[in-house]
Structure formats: C-alpha cells, structure tokens
Amino acid sequence: MMKYCAFLLVAILQFSLDANVLQAQVPARRPARVMPAEQRADRLTTEGLALMRRGRTTLAQAKFQQALRLDPQNVRAHLAYADLLLKENKSLAAYDHFTKAMKFSPAGAKDRDRAAQVIARLRSQHPEWFSRVQPRPVDAGKSAQRQTHEPLPGGQTPAVPPRPNGIKPTLAVLPFAAPGSDSTLGVSFSEMVATAMINRAAYRIVERRQIEHVFQEQALGQTGALEAETAVAVGKILGVQTVAVGNLSQLEAGYETDARVLNVESGEALLASHAQAASSAQFREAAESLAADLSAKVGNVQNSLQPDSAAVAPAHH
C-alpha cells in the first residue's frame, strides 16, 4: 500500500511538471487587434453592396447606415446608400448622400464626377425642392441695415429690433446632428429647442409630427446631419419660410451646440447662435439659451424674408 501511494504521488508530480512545461511552450495569446473605423465602414459597405445585389435592400440599408455612423465621410458608403435610395424613389435622401459624397471626394475623382451628374439630374427633376429665389439686392439706403445681419465672430448674430406688428415667421426646427451613433440625442435636443421657441412666441413653430412625417416619407435623418440644401428642401415640403438646423458636439468639458436659421426661399443663413452644456443634464438650459437668442433676433428674419414669402404651415401659435 505504501509503495502504491508513493508511486501515485510521483505520477502526480510528474504530470504537474509536464503541464507546466507545456504551458511555458505555448505562446501568450495576443490581444485582438481592433480594426479602425474606416476599415470597418468599408467592410460594412462591401457587405451592404452584396446584399443589395441579392435584393435584400432592408439589410443592405442597415449596413450602409452602420458604416456611415462609423465613418461619416466614407464616400463609398454615401454613394452606395444614395444608389439604394434612388432605386427606392427616395430622391431627396439620395440627393443628400450624393451631395456628401461629392463634398468628401477629392477634386477630379471619378466618384465626385458621378455624384455631380446625379445631383444635376435630381435638381432638374425636382425644381420644387431646389429652385432658389435670389436674395434681394441691397440699395445704398439699406446697406447699413443689411450689414447688421452678418454673423459676429464666434457664430453669434447681432439682433435687429422686430418690426412693429410684424408677421411671425414660420419655422421648422429640424433634428440636430448628434455626436456618435446616438441620433436620438439630437432629436431630443431639437424638441427642447422647439418647445422653448413656442413658449417665447416669436415664430410660428411647425408641429413635430409634421417634420417626422416628412423625414419618414423621404427616408431622411438616419445617418447624421442634413446638408443645407436638403434642409431647405424639407422646408419647402413643409411649406415654411425658415428652418432651424444645428448640431451637438461632445467635448472634454461637455457639449457645444450651434444653430442656424435658413431662409427656405433663398437658402441663405439668416441667424447663427451658440450654446454650451456641461453635461446632458443641462441640455434644457442650453436649448433655452438658443431659443432666447433666436427669438430676440426675429427682427433679422423679418427684414430678410421676401415680402411675398407668406407660406403658412399648420403651426403652434
């Protein structure tokens, strides 16, 4: 019995020694290498194109959207998504992505030329969205007044007193672009701005459900900020005089937000404003700050609108 126990102990020790030797010979596992966002976006775009060729457009769309959230300047993803939207007769959303593809493509690139051709075709097919009324020429007597509309350094615009008994301009507050992939953050913030604007009663604010209907109908707002021309086209569909667009930027010290009010007829920026928030808990205060600034400058908007631009959409009063 003693010999058997001794033999068993020796065997256990030998097994333990062999296991340690084998473990020492196995190389340490390397940490998984994280693929850069640009490469992941390219891979997702390739997968989306393959799905698109097989007719699986819903899955392809999800791939393109994911790619653009990872890399908002990915020209290949913008073009692929634009082609899909065009096939589904979502012309305005396709226009927006072709515009982004052209903006992010280097000069002389083949992709840039193709995007420009499609943009020109869409412009001619949809003059109701893209026709522009040129800003009125400014005579010498009003030049000083016109100069007060120019933005100040830092994105602010000086206020012009509102016209006595002036008509309140109609305004659609479009969803703000948000940092990262959380588009709901920008939507929530824009709703706070719209509510604050309603309470100040300087503009007639379009109902949120009307904006949502247009965005859903046109397949907009899935991959970040709209181009200015697209935002103006949304304003034309809504039948408003002005649209407010903006973005949230996340910084080390919190958030910054910038907003602009665009003239739907001419496409020019009428106002610019800026606010900060130390955290998302202070978004409402930042929204109130933007609303106060834009409302105080309603006179700028009244002076800039065409006299006959009296488009009226159902709105809050």
Side-chain angles (χ1 to χ4, degrees):
M1 185 67 180
M2 293 290 292
K3 289 182 179 180
Y4 175 75
C5 290
F7 175 78
L8 185 60
L9 180 61
V10 170
I12 292 172
L13 290 172
Q14 185 64 42
F15 177 80
S16 177
L17 181 62
D18 292 343
N20 289 335
V21 170
L22 286 172
Q23 186 175 7
Q25 291 175 349
V26 175
R29 180 178 294 179
R30 295 180 180 178
R33 188 170 60 179
V34 178
M35 186 182 296
E38 294 83 357
Q39 291 184 20
R40 283 186 287 160
D42 279 333
R43 177 175 291 183
L44 286 164
T45 302
T46 299
E47 293 172 0
L49 287 167
L51 289 165
M52 191 172 160
R53 284 191 293 270
R54 286 151 50 192
R56 305 180 70 178
T57 55
T58 301
L59 291 175
Q61 178 173 304
K63 293 287 185 182
F64 297 146
Q65 290 174 357
Q66 190 177 353
L68 289 169
R69 291 189 185 102
L70 286 170
D71 182 12
Q73 297 187 14
N74 192 300
V75 173
R76 186 163 167 257
H78 278 298
L79 286 173
Y81 193 20
D83 285 333
L84 185 151
L85 290 165
L86 207 56
K87 288 180 179 179
E88 295 189 338
N89 295 318
K90 305 297 184 183
S91 299
L92 187 54
Y95 180 92
D96 193 65
H97 286 283
F98 278 121
T99 303
K100 288 183 172 76
M102 186 173 173
K103 180 169 71 174
F104 299 134
S105 297
K110 188 180 297 184
D111 289 338
R112 184 184 179 90
D113 293 339
R114 186 170 82 84
Q117 291 172 5
V118 180
I119 287 170
R121 187 173 78 243
L122 289 172
R123 281 176 175 274
S124 64
Q125 290 174 348
H126 297 280
E128 73 278 12
W129 292 342
F130 302 115
S131 61
R132 291 286 181 272
V133 176
Q134 294 298 320
R136 289 168 292 169
V138 181
D139 58 39
K142 295 183 179 179
S143 60
Q145 182 187 51
R146 180 64 177 179
Q147 288 174 2
T148 61
H149 295 180
E150 297 300 323
L152 293 172
Q156 299 290 335
T157 309
V160 171
R163 292 178 181 176
N165 302 319
I167 297 175
K168 296 178 184 178
T170 50
L171 174 70
V173 182
L174 303 186
F176 280 38
S181 59
D182 188 4
S183 60
T184 59
L185 199 64
V187 172
S188 299
F189 185 78
S190 67
E191 289 177 353
M192 293 179 191
V193 174
T195 299
M197 298 284 284
I198 291 167
N199 292 336
R200 294 180 181 276
Y203 301 80
R204 288 174 289 167
I205 307 299
V206 173
E207 292 274 6
R208 168 56 51 189
R209 66 173 181 271
Q210 293 178 261
I211 298 172
E212 289 175 349
H213 175 73
V214 172
F215 269 61
Q216 291 172 4
E217 187 178 62
Q218 300 294 332
L220 293 167
Q222 300 295 321
T223 55
L226 296 180
E227 293 296 299
E229 280 194 305
T230 313
V232 166
V234 170
K236 287 180 179 291
I237 295 171
L238 288 167
V240 296
Q241 295 168 298
T242 58
V243 292
V245 295
N247 64 279
L248 283 168
S249 302
Q250 190 167 11
L251 308 174
E252 290 184 5
Y255 293 86
E256 283 189 347
T257 177
D258 296 285
R260 291 180 298 151
V261 174
L262 308 178
N263 184 337
V264 168
E265 280 197 296
S266 67
E268 66 178 330
L270 304 178
L271 300 179
S273 190
H274 175 83
Q276 294 179 321
S279 68
S280 58
Q282 296 183 2
F283 276 0
R284 193 165 298 279
E285 288 83 352
E288 290 284 351
S289 175
L290 283 180
D293 190 44
L294 296 177
S295 296
K297 297 168 183 174
V298 68
N300 301 55
V301 178
Q302 291 173 327
N303 289 346
S304 298
L305 291 174
Q306 298 284 352
D308 57 349
S309 61
V312 176
H316 284 294
H317 294 276

